[in-house]
C-alpha cells in the first residue's frame, strides 16, 4: 500500500509540474491573476486504491489554491479506447492510471 501511495504521489507531482509549464491565453498558468489549473486524473482503480487516490487529491486540494485535482473513475472495459477518443477530441485527462 505504501508503494502504491508513493508511486501515485510521484505521478501526481510530475503531472502538476508539467501542467504548470503550460500557457493559457497568453498568461502563464501560475500567474497571480489566472484561474486555478485543473488536473484531471482518470483511473480504473477500485476499493482501497480508489480511496487512497481520492484522499490524496482531497488533501492536495485543501493544501493550496493554484491547482485543482479532479479524480474521475472510469470503467476498466474499454478504458484505452475511451482515453484514446477523448485525447483525439482534445477533451482527454491530464493523467491516467490503468
Amino acid at each position: 500500500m505504501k508503494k502504491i501511495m508513493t508511486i501515485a504521489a510521484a505521478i501526481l507531482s510530475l503531472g502538476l509540474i508539467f501542467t504548470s509549464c503550460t500557457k493559457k491565453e497568453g498568461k502563464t498558468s501560475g500567474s497571480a491573476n489566472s484561474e486555478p489549473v485543473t488536473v484531471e486524473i482518470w483511473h480504473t482503480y477500485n476499493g482501497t486504491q480508489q480511496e487512497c487516490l481520492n484522499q490524496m487529491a482531497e488533501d492536495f486540494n485543501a493544501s493550496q489554491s493554484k491547482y485543482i485535482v479532479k479524480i474521475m473513475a472510469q470503467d476498466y472495459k474499454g478504458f484505452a479506447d475511451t482515453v484514446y477518443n477523448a485525447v483525439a477530441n482534445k477533451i482527454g485527462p491530464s493523467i491516467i492510471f490503468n
Side-chain angles (χ1 to χ4, degrees):
M1 184 60 162
K2 194 173 190 180
K3 183 178 179 181
I4 292 170
M5 289 178 54
T6 302
I7 291 169
I11 292 172
L12 181 60
S13 297
L14 286 174
L16 292 175
I17 289 169
F18 290 123
T19 303
S20 67
C21 295
T22 62
K23 291 188 175 191
K24 290 185 178 182
E25 301 178 61
K27 296 181 186 175
T28 303
S29 60
S31 68
N33 296 330
S34 67
E35 294 289 318
V37 174
T38 299
V39 177
E40 195 169 290
I41 300 175
W42 290 9
H43 69 89
T44 58
Y45 293 163
N46 58 37
T48 304
Q49 290 176 323
Q50 183 174 4
E51 291 173 17
C52 180
L53 185 58
N54 287 336
Q55 186 61 53
M56 284 191 300
E58 287 176 25
D59 292 346
F60 180 81
N61 289 338
S63 72
Q64 49 72 53
S65 61
K66 290 184 178 183
Y67 306 97
I68 298 171
V69 176
K70 289 178 137 182
I71 305 296
M72 306 202 48
Q74 305 290 323
D75 288 333
Y76 181 77
K77 184 178 180 181
F79 181 69
D81 289 334
T82 300
V83 171
Y84 175 80
N85 290 327
V87 170
N89 290 306
K90 300 183 191 283
I91 58 169
S94 307
I95 300 170
I96 63 168
F97 296 135
N98 187 5

